[in-house]
């Protein structure tokens, strides 16, 4: 249990006893978090990979969690972590531009019948925060990327004007950063106290490059099966494209024990060969990234699409006789009233096999789990919010499985 957390004796859920500005006190069943899909140009001509998808000119940062971790031990994940009160600090307003939403573009109102993900739509001002939630979540993702991978996503001064640089972001020049040992000490301090991240930015006369992060998605950890006490997180996913790979990446040897830069197809091939493992959300997003072999195309799509917002996805697990299916919103079998909190203790199961269910259902948005390293995404519905469906990639096939699936 993290310091400062207490357990509600009646519900058994962990809650934070002190109200911090911007933090949602109504959340009892999960905590809010931010994660970063960090893509970086490879700095060399696109190289062939072990995949029929052809060459890619960028790589994604994947971090390996410690085997001692209480959540997804030994899994490869994108950098990110828990939202902290320091991410909402009013002191950030003294560093960031004095503009509405600190210069971030406004997300368009959702179309009729659509709902913006609560993690983004929550009125943070009503919770006492002077800082917009969109800003605080981006600061969280940038801070965690520094803590876990040693990468600083900063810009000089108060930051760029909106859309002043339409291309992938650039890192601070090395001469602008402290020497290695001093930066390592700052990293240690930020890991111990997230408020030190603001102190570091002041010291460097820089600000977090929140404008390089584009809203990508929102995943809520599924309700655990009966008898399991899994941690749950409502996680904002952001995309950030860097012009080139950072010169230095390093694990913290605490939460993270390893890292690697891989193209999306490479990462999936490593997963299928059981060299690495990641959870279904990471698999889904890597399959979605397989639509883009060009960093500039990915950046353009991500920055344009982000203005549409996104919806919350909480997978609902259906246990079949020979495997599991994680149902996602829009799937024919997805519940009309999902049990977000788990208090209803509703768990879906059937005596049918996965193949039977696939033949019977016509509207598909699901991840089929044959075993830990054998997943397949099936989608044949139109994506919302101008997003894009993942490329179908499983143990034997790369291609599209329906009219609405992504095509290369």
């Amino acid at each position: 249990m993290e310091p400062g957390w207490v357990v509600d004796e009646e519900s058994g859920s962990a809650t934070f006893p002190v109200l911090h500005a911007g933090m949602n006190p109504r959340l009892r069943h999960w905590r809010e978090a931010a994660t970063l899909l960090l893509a970086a140009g490879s700095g060399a001509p696109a190289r062939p990979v072990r995949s029929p998808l052809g060459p890619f000119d960028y790589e994604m940062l994947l971090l390996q969690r410690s085997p001692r971790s209480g959540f997804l031990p030994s899994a490869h994940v994108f950098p990110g972590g828990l939202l902290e009160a320091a991410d909402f600090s009013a002191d950030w307003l003294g560093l960031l531009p004095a503009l509405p939403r600190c210069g971030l573009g406004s997300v368009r109102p959702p179309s009729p019948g659509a709902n913006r993900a609560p993690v983004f739509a929550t009125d943070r001002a009503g919770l006492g925060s002077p800082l917009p939630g969109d800003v605080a979540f981006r600061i969280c993702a940038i801070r965690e990327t520094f803590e876990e991978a040693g990468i600083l996503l900063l810009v000089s001064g108060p930051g760029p004007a909106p859309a002043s640089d339409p291309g992938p972001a650039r890192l601070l020049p090395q001469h602008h950063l402290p020497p290695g040992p001093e930066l390592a000490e700052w990293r240690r301090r930020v890991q111990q106290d997230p408020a030190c991240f603001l102190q570091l930015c002041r010291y460097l006369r820089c600000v977090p490059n929140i404008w390089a992060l584009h809203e990508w998605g929102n995943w809520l950890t599924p309700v655990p099966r009966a008898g399991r006490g899994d941690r749950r997180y409502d996680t904002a996913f952001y995309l950030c494209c860097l012009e080139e790979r950072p010169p230095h990446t390093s694990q913290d040897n605490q939460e993270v024990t390893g890292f690697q830069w891989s193209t999306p197809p490479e990462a999936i091939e490593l997963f299928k060969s059981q060299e690495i493992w990641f959870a279904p959300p990471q698999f889904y997003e890597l399959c979605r990234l397989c639509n883009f072999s060009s960093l500039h195309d990915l950046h353009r799509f991500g920055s344009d699409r982000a203005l549409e917002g996104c919806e919350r996805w909480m997978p609902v697990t259906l246990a079949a006789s020979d495997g599991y299916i994680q149902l996602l919103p829009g799937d024919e079998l997805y519940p009309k009233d999902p049990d977000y909190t788990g208090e209803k203790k509703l768990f879906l199961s059937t005596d049918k096999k996965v193949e039977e269910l696939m033949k019977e259902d016509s509207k598909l948005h699901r991840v089929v789990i044959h075993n830990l390293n054998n997943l397949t995404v099936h989608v044949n519905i139109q994506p919302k919010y101008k997003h894009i469906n993942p490329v179908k990639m499983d143990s034997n096939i790369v291609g599209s499985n329906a009219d609405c699936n992504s095509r290369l």
Side-chain angles (χ1 to χ4, degrees), residues 36-50:
L36 190 58
L37 281 67
L38 186 59
S42 58
R47 66 185 192 279
V49 297
R50 294 185 295 165

Side-chain angles (χ1 to χ4, degrees), residues 285-360:
E285 296 299 358
L286 285 165
C287 289
R288 186 142 64 175
L289 291 167
C290 283
N291 286 283
F292 306 96
S293 60
S294 160
L295 180 70
H296 283 267
D297 288 347
L298 173 61
H299 172 79
R300 189 180 306 111
F301 173 82
S303 58
D304 291 345
R305 194 226 61 80
L307 299 178
E308 304 295 329
C310 66
E311 64 181 337
R312 171 194 276 172
W313 285 357
M314 183 189 75
V316 173
T317 303
L318 168 62
S321 64
D322 59 345
Y324 293 91
I325 298 176
Q326 284 203 341
L327 305 169
L328 295 168
D331 191 279
E332 185 172 318
L333 297 180
Y334 195 80
K336 289 183 173 60
D337 183 21
D339 180 17
Y340 286 109
T341 65
E343 293 176 335
K344 299 177 183 177
K345 301 190 183 304
L346 299 176
F347 300 103
L348 304 181
S349 63
T350 177
D351 293 332
K352 296 180 180 180
K353 294 184 176 181
V354 168
E355 186 177 357
E356 292 179 74
L357 294 169
M358 295 301 299
K359 290 178 179 179
E360 291 177 358

Side-chain angles (χ1 to χ4, degrees), residues 74-225:
S74 300
H76 278 72
V77 298
F78 304 118
L82 290 171
L83 194 67
E84 300 285 355
D87 302 321
F88 284 99
S89 172
D91 292 339
W92 285 112
L93 296 176
L95 297 180
L96 294 163
L99 296 168
R101 292 167 45 82
C102 299
L104 291 173
S106 296
V107 174
R108 300 183 182 98
S111 58
N115 294 305
R116 183 155 159 73
V119 74
F120 298 116
T122 297
D123 177 15
R124 303 291 168 171
L127 296 175
S129 172
L131 206 64
D134 287 349
V135 174
F137 273 84
R138 284 170 167 84
I139 290 173
C140 171
I142 292 170
R143 172 181 55 77
E144 287 284 349
T145 299
F146 176 55
E147 290 185 31
E148 295 183 335
I151 297 172
L152 272 175
L153 301 173
L154 307 178
V155 290
S156 300
S164 63
D165 183 4
R170 298 180 181 180
L171 293 166
L172 280 177
Q174 282 297 109
H175 64 79
H176 201 116
L177 298 175
E182 183 182 349
L183 191 60
E185 174 59 21
W186 272 109
R187 183 180 177 186
R188 185 192 65 78
R189 290 174 59 188
V190 174
Q191 289 168 340
Q192 293 183 342
D193 180 4
C196 289
F197 187 55
L198 189 146
Q199 297 175 19
L200 171 61
C201 291
R202 278 182 177 152
Y203 176 70
L204 295 177
R205 298 181 180 179
C206 293
V207 295
N209 191 356
I210 59 174
W211 307 275
L213 273 61
H214 305 291
E215 185 178 316
W216 182 263
N218 172 215
W219 290 81
L220 175 61
T221 310
V223 172
R225 304 294 291 177

Side-chain angles (χ1 to χ4, degrees), residues 222-274:
V223 172
R225 304 294 291 177
R228 293 176 57 189
D230 291 2
R231 302 175 184 183
R232 300 186 65 203
Y233 303 98
D234 193 5
T235 306
F237 276 60
Y238 292 97
L239 171 72
C240 176
C241 294
L242 295 177
E243 194 172 72
E244 58 184 4
R245 187 200 291 185
H248 302 291
T249 307
S250 61
Q251 66 267 21
D252 62 10
N253 288 322
Q254 298 176 36
E255 295 181 42
V256 176
T257 58
F259 72 90
Q260 64 186 65
W261 290 90
S262 301
T263 68
E266 282 177 335
I268 291 172
E269 291 296 328
L270 291 170
F271 171 76
K272 291 191 292 189
S273 63
Q274 302 187 26

